[in-house]
Amino acid sequence: MKHRTYLALVFPLLLSTITTPLLGATDTAIAGRFSDASYIGGVAVGTLIFNTLYWLFGFLRVATSGFAEQADGSGEKNGLLLSLLRPLAIALIMGVIFVLLQKPILTATLALMGAEPSVEEATSTYFSIRFVPALSP
C-alpha cells in the first residue's frame, strides 16, 4: 500500500476522532472568559457526558469499516449494503433513546459527579444547548 493511499484512509478517521474532544476544548476556552469559575466546571462536566456517549459507540465506526472491507473484498454487494445499514439502524435507535433519556442521563451524571449547585446549573445550561436544542423542552 502506498503512503498516499494509507493517508487517504487514515485522515478522515483521524479527523472524526478529534472533532468531539476539540469541541469540548473550544467550549472550555470560551467559558474561561466568564467571571464565574462554575461555567468552566459546567462545560467540563457537560463535555465529559458527551465524550462518554460518543466513545461508548466508537465500536460502530470500527466494526462498520471492518465489515465493509470484508464484504467489499469478497465481492458481496448485499453484504456491503448491510454493513452500512445495520450500524446506521443501531445509531439511529440509540440516538432516539439518548434524546428521549437526556434528562435522566443528565440527572444521573450530576448525581454521580457530586458537583456544587452552581456547577450543576452551568452543566444543565451547557447540556441543554448542546443536546439537540430544537427538541429540548
Side-chain angles (χ1 to χ4, degrees):
M1 180 180 288
K2 294 181 180 179
H3 292 295
R4 182 169 284 168
T5 305
Y6 180 74
L7 288 175
L9 293 172
V10 169
F11 186 71
L13 290 172
L14 178 67
L15 189 61
S16 71
T17 301
I18 65 171
T19 54
T20 300
L22 272 178
L23 183 59
T26 303
D27 291 342
T28 302
I30 292 169
R33 298 236 184 241
F34 296 126
S35 60
D36 191 359
S38 63
Y39 294 124
I40 294 175
V43 170
V45 174
T47 299
L48 176 74
I49 296 169
F50 285 102
N51 286 350
T52 301
L53 293 176
Y54 174 76
W55 286 108
L56 281 174
F57 291 93
F59 73 91
L60 283 176
R61 183 182 61 202
V62 175
T64 301
S65 60
F67 289 134
E69 282 300 317
Q70 286 179 345
D72 189 41
S74 66
E76 295 180 35
K77 297 298 179 192
N78 193 29
L80 192 57
L81 180 63
L82 287 176
S83 70
L84 170 68
L85 294 179
R86 287 178 183 146
L88 182 62
I90 292 170
L92 288 172
I93 290 167
M94 291 310 300
V96 168
I97 289 171
F98 284 157
V99 168
L100 294 175
L101 297 177
Q102 61 183 301
K103 297 249 187 241
I105 290 170
L106 177 62
T107 304
T109 303
L110 291 176
L112 288 172
M113 296 298 287
E116 294 180 8
S118 59
V119 173
E120 287 185 1
E121 184 179 336
T123 301
S124 295
T125 301
Y126 178 77
F127 194 80
S128 68
I129 291 169
R130 264 201 72 195
F131 206 110
V132 195
L135 298 178
S136 296

